[in-house]
Amino acid sequence: MSELKILIACGSGIATSTVAQEKVKDILANAGIPAKITKRTIGQVESLQDGVDVIMVTTRYQKPLRKPIVSVFGLISGIDQEAVEKEVVDVSRAALAAKD
């Protein structure tokens, strides 16, 4: 099984993306999905999308992308957290299957 490359982006590339990164790491580890996660700012998403398999954001992102995008704000706020966790796993599994 290959490793999934994930980009997590927030406004500054530091605060909420760090919290989201730790939660996503735990979610994927529990699901048995190997992943490498990088953090950047929301403004860098479009230019970095070709180097990753999945994009996760902590804020709204409206531009069209060629990669799957998941809003992970619920992991920070606790709102619909279980649904967000399921989406993280489902999208990650689909992206990993597409790589293999």
Side-chain angles (χ1 to χ4, degrees):
M1 184 183 294
S2 58
E3 186 176 63
L4 195 63
K5 293 179 186 168
I6 297 174
L7 171 64
I8 296 182
C10 71
S12 68
I14 299 168
T16 57
S17 61
T18 300
V19 174
Q21 178 184 27
E22 293 308 310
K23 293 192 179 216
V24 168
K25 270 188 201 176
D26 290 343
I27 292 164
L28 295 179
N30 289 336
I33 299 171
K36 179 180 181 202
I37 301 172
T38 55
K39 298 180 304 174
R40 295 292 186 266
T41 67
I42 200 78
Q44 295 173 296
V45 167
E46 190 173 15
S47 65
L48 296 174
Q49 69 178 315
D50 290 334
V52 299
D53 303 304
V54 177
I55 298 164
M56 300 186 185
V57 296
T58 64
T59 187
R60 290 202 295 171
Y61 190 83
Q62 301 294 336
K63 294 181 183 177
L65 295 171
R66 293 180 297 279
K67 300 296 169 99
I69 186 167
V70 178
S71 173
V72 293
F73 181 72
L75 300 178
I76 296 156
S77 69
I79 298 170
D80 292 329
Q81 185 166 336
E82 287 182 19
V84 174
E85 290 175 5
K86 183 181 182 325
E87 185 177 8
V88 165
V89 171
D90 291 349
V91 170
S92 297
R93 280 197 177 126
L96 200 54
K99 283 180 68 143
D100 292 339

